[in-house]
Amino acid sequence: MDLSVTSTDLSTDAAVSTSAASVFIPAPVTPYQGDIARYWDGEARPVNLRLGDVDGLYHHHYGIGAVDRTALGDADDSAYEKRLIAELHRLESAQAELLLDHLGPVERDAMLVDAGCGRGGSMVMAHQRFRCQVEGVTLSAKQADFANQRAHELGIEDHVHARVCNMLGTPFETGQIAASWNNESSMYVDLHDLFAEHSRILEVGGRYVTITGCWNPRYGQPSKWVSQINAHFECNIHSRREYLRAMADNRLVPQAVIDLTAATLPYWELRATSSLVTGIEEAFINSYKDGSFQYLLIAADRV
């Protein structure tokens, strides 16, 4: 999961060195904000780093699509695990591609915002596709450092930049942004505050996209599996209904609502067989199968 914060009080931008590799984080203004910053600054799960090592795109989200069993080959082969990791990474990059597909046409002089940018994989992909400016925000100084260093290594630091600030109070001007997104980061914030900020920075007609896990109101309440996911990531998963209500309250009109639950199950079932398990795989698989949890893409226009 990518990173964001809950407090609307922090608007201080991070200082970024000319090498595009060093940032500092302002003192947290709430205990929860400090907890989340510490969580992601200390996070170094092999599943996030090993997948990114495949091609240098480091994500903090999950995957979609059918598993290519031909690419996996024989499970008894000594190279099987390496191929499995490459396949997991292909599926997570496919997820990012789908999100970018729903941004619609983007001009080269546009500015995009990745709210909860993690280590920056989606920002790099967005710039490679649209050739425009991409700004990321995160609470984690460690993640911002990593993302900026990767941009520097790729020679795109003039176009791709991560900063440490609150995504509920960004430094961008009103109506400045052509498109913005949250990729598995909205579960760390109050949705009304989040969508109010996206609505503020987006130009009229600008596109907002989120891919997120949400609990299914038809189930009645968050299930035990959803509670386990919340505890594991120290987050607060919202319901599908809450997303749509908060968007409507903030001039974001959905143009597409796509249920990706069936499309993400192959990723989780494959990951559960890998050496990169973290212990949370069962909760995702069971909650998707029993209908208590959904994986959604919502694309909305600012009106």
Side-chain angles (χ1 to χ4, degrees):
M1 292 184 180
D2 281 349
L3 175 68
S4 54
V5 299
T6 54
S7 171
T8 58
D9 298 329
L10 179 62
S11 59
T12 305
D13 191 8
V16 182
S17 75
T18 56
S19 68
S22 178
V23 299
F24 73 89
I25 183 170
V29 297
T30 68
Y32 179 69
Q33 181 179 308
D35 287 344
I36 299 306
R38 284 188 291 273
Y39 178 90
W40 287 105
D41 279 340
E43 186 275 334
R45 294 190 185 94
V47 69
N48 291 320
L49 297 170
R50 291 275 303 281
L51 297 186
D53 287 344
V54 171
D55 62 5
L57 289 172
Y58 292 87
H59 299 300
H60 278 271
H61 59 254
Y62 309 127
I64 58 169
V67 173
D68 185 348
R69 297 291 173 182
T70 303
L72 288 178
D74 188 345
D76 294 327
D77 192 307
S78 61
Y80 177 78
E81 183 70 11
K82 181 178 180 180
R83 293 195 297 267
L84 187 154
I85 289 171
E87 181 64 5
L88 287 173
H89 182 62
R90 185 186 69 82
L91 297 176
E92 66 175 358
S93 289
Q95 189 261 34
E97 293 284 7
L98 181 68
L99 187 153
L100 297 179
D101 288 345
H102 282 82
L103 293 181
V106 175
E107 302 295 330
R108 291 192 65 158
D109 62 352
M111 182 182 292
L112 310 180
V113 169
D114 182 350
C117 63
R119 289 186 169 97
S122 295
M123 292 197 297
V124 172
M125 292 175 67
H127 173 69
Q128 289 173 340
R129 178 185 291 207
F130 303 118
R131 315 308 297 177
C132 65
Q133 186 79 17
V134 187
E135 295 284 334
V137 297
T138 174
L139 184 60
S140 170
K142 182 177 179 181
Q143 288 184 342
D145 263 333
F146 192 105
N148 288 332
Q149 182 60 41
R150 283 298 297 137
H152 179 70
E153 292 166 356
L154 293 168
I156 57 175
E157 66 269 30
D158 291 340
H159 296 91
V160 175
H161 172 234
R163 68 184 77 212
V164 181
C165 77
N166 186 349
M167 74 177 184
L168 302 183
T170 67
F172 309 114
E173 295 178 8
T174 298
Q176 180 183 9
I177 305 304
S180 60
W181 68 87
N182 287 93
N183 197 351
E184 296 182 17
S185 56
S186 56
M187 62 286 300
Y188 285 100
V189 298
D190 177 271
L191 291 180
H192 279 84
D193 291 343
L194 174 67
F195 295 146
E197 181 63 1
H198 280 287
S199 183
R200 183 189 71 80
I201 65 175
L202 282 170
E203 64 189 17
V204 174
R207 172 61 58 90
Y208 170 76
V209 179
T210 185
I211 295 182
T212 186
C214 57
W215 64 269
N216 187 352
R218 292 184 178 181
Y219 192 82
Q221 289 291 331
S223 68
K224 66 177 183 180
W225 304 118
V226 172
S227 296
Q228 286 183 22
I229 296 168
N230 277 333
H232 184 85
F233 292 106
E234 300 184 20
C235 63
N236 180 32
I237 292 166
H238 307 289
S239 71
R240 174 176 178 153
R241 183 180 297 142
E242 289 174 284
Y243 278 92
L244 298 175
R245 182 183 300 122
M247 285 183 179
D249 289 345
N250 288 284
R251 303 182 67 86
L252 294 170
V253 178
Q255 304 299 308
V257 180
I258 303 172
D259 190 336
L260 298 174
T261 305
T264 197
L265 260 173
Y267 166 89
W268 284 102
E269 290 171 339
L270 182 62
R271 175 168 147 172
T273 69
S274 77
S275 63
L276 300 177
V277 294
T278 64
I280 199 61
E281 289 79 11
E282 180 185 21
F284 276 91
I285 293 169
N286 288 338
S287 61
Y288 286 143
K289 286 185 174 181
D290 71 14
S292 64
F293 198 40
Q294 295 176 302
Y295 198 51
L296 291 185
L297 180 150
I298 306 174
D301 287 345
R302 166 67 164 89
V303 298

